[in-house]
Amino acid sequence: MTFKAAESLAEQIARHVGRQIITGDLVEGERIQELRIASELNVSRGSVREALLILQRRHLIEIYPRRGAVVAEMSAQQIRSLFEVITLLMSLLVRRAADNWRQSDVEGFTSLLEKMQQMVRDGDIEGFYESSFTFFRMSYRFSMNPYIEEMLEDLQPALQRSYYLALHTNKRELQEAFNFFKGVLESVLLRKGDQAAEQIGEFCHHLRNLVLDSLARMKQIELAWAQRSRR
C-alpha cells in the first residue's frame, strides 16, 4: 500500500479500506477485521479505529456495539436518498459555477474533458471513473460555501460506490457519462445555470436507475444461490 504524505495515517487507512468497499472486494454486511487491517498495513489498532470512524461518517460502514464495524448495506431506499441529496447539492453547485466562473477556470476542465474522451475511446473504465471525481472535486470551489463542500466530500465515497457499479454495468455508459460532463460544462460556460441543473437532475436519475437495476439483479442471484444451497 502506498500512502500520500499529505494525508493523516487514519485518512490513508480509510482510503485503503474504502476502496475495497467501493470496488466490491468487501461486500455489504461483511465484518471489518481491525486486527487483520492493522497487521496487513503495519499500523496500530488505534489508527484503524480512527479510520473506521471516518468511514462511518462517509456512509461506507456501520459500527454496532459489541458487533464492531460492518460494510454498510446498499438498499434501494438508501440509493434513492443518496441521489436525492446529491442532485440537490450538485444542482446548486452548477448554478453557482455558471454565475461565478472566470476564464482562468476553463483550461483545467477542458483539458480533463479531452483526456476523458480518450478514455472512452480506449474503454478505460478505471481511468474514466477516477477522472469523473477529479472533475467533481475541481467544481467544489464554485459553491463558495464550506458546508456544501464538506457535505459533498463526505457523500462522495457512497456516490463512488454507486457510480463504480453503474459504469461496470455496461461499457456504453462511458459515452453516456462523457456526454453528461461535456453538456454540463458547455451549459456552465454559456452561463445557463438552470439548464446545467436540469442536466444534473437527468443524469443523476439515470445513474440511480442503473444502480437500482443492478442491485435488483444481484439480489435475485443471491436468492437463487441461497435456494440452491438449501436443496
Side-chain angles (χ1 to χ4, degrees):
M1 177 184 178
T2 301
F3 287 140
K4 295 181 180 179
E7 294 179 330
S8 71
L9 180 59
E11 182 66 47
Q12 294 171 60
I13 297 168
R15 188 179 296 277
H16 175 76
V17 177
R19 179 68 179 175
Q20 292 179 319
I21 296 171
I22 288 166
T23 59
D25 291 332
L26 292 172
V27 298
E28 66 177 50
E30 186 170 348
R31 187 166 178 271
I32 306 295
Q33 304 283 345
E34 284 184 20
L35 189 58
R36 179 188 63 80
I37 295 171
S39 176
E40 176 187 331
L41 302 180
N42 193 27
V43 296
S44 70
R45 292 188 70 176
S47 295
V48 175
R49 291 192 190 101
E50 190 179 345
L52 295 181
L53 292 174
I54 294 172
L55 291 171
Q56 182 184 41
R57 188 177 75 240
R58 293 178 180 170
H59 312 284
L60 291 181
I61 69 168
E62 298 290 348
I63 301 176
Y64 300 101
R66 295 180 297 279
R67 187 182 171 192
V70 298
V71 178
E73 180 187 16
M74 284 183 73
S75 69
Q77 183 55 47
Q78 286 168 326
I79 295 302
R80 292 189 183 97
S81 298
L82 171 65
F83 277 96
E84 181 180 21
V85 175
I86 288 293
T87 301
L88 290 172
L89 291 174
M90 293 302 296
S91 295
L92 175 59
L93 191 62
V94 295
R95 283 191 173 98
R96 292 196 173 178
D99 290 337
N100 298 321
W101 72 267
R102 298 293 179 265
Q103 192 61 42
S104 58
D105 299 316
V106 176
E107 185 177 352
F109 286 99
T110 55
S111 176
L112 179 59
L113 210 58
E114 289 173 3
K115 293 176 183 176
M116 292 171 74
Q117 186 172 34
Q118 186 58 51
M119 290 169 186
V120 174
R121 297 192 190 103
D122 297 339
D124 182 1
I125 296 177
E126 294 298 323
F128 189 92
Y129 167 84
E130 296 294 342
S131 296
S132 298
F133 287 96
T134 299
F135 192 102
F136 286 139
R137 288 192 187 96
M138 288 168 59
S139 305
Y140 287 173
R141 68 182 185 274
F142 292 110
S143 71
M144 297 182 178
N145 185 323
Y147 297 107
I148 292 176
E149 289 190 49
E150 184 177 352
M151 284 189 286
L152 284 169
E153 191 64 24
D154 283 343
L155 287 171
Q156 185 172 281
L159 179 61
Q160 286 175 314
R161 193 180 181 192
S162 296
Y163 190 55
Y164 190 90
L165 182 60
L167 282 186
H168 284 76
T169 298
N170 190 322
K171 275 198 173 184
R172 285 179 295 183
E173 289 305 320
L174 287 180
Q175 185 63 56
E176 186 80 22
F178 174 77
N179 292 342
F180 157 71
F181 284 108
K182 183 172 182 288
V184 166
L185 182 60
E186 288 173 350
S187 295
V188 166
L189 294 182
L190 291 171
R191 302 200 184 278
K192 295 182 177 181
D194 288 343
Q195 179 174 295
E198 184 178 342
Q199 290 166 315
I200 289 283
E202 290 173 355
F203 187 66
C204 284
H205 182 77
H206 172 71
L207 274 186
R208 186 202 68 178
N209 288 344
L210 274 180
V211 176
L212 290 174
D213 289 345
S214 296
L215 286 178
R217 286 196 297 271
M218 288 166 61
K219 298 296 184 185
Q220 289 173 350
I221 293 171
E222 289 172 3
L223 180 60
W225 274 106
Q227 291 174 339
R228 182 177 297 180
S229 65
R230 287 197 295 266
R231 291 175 184 172

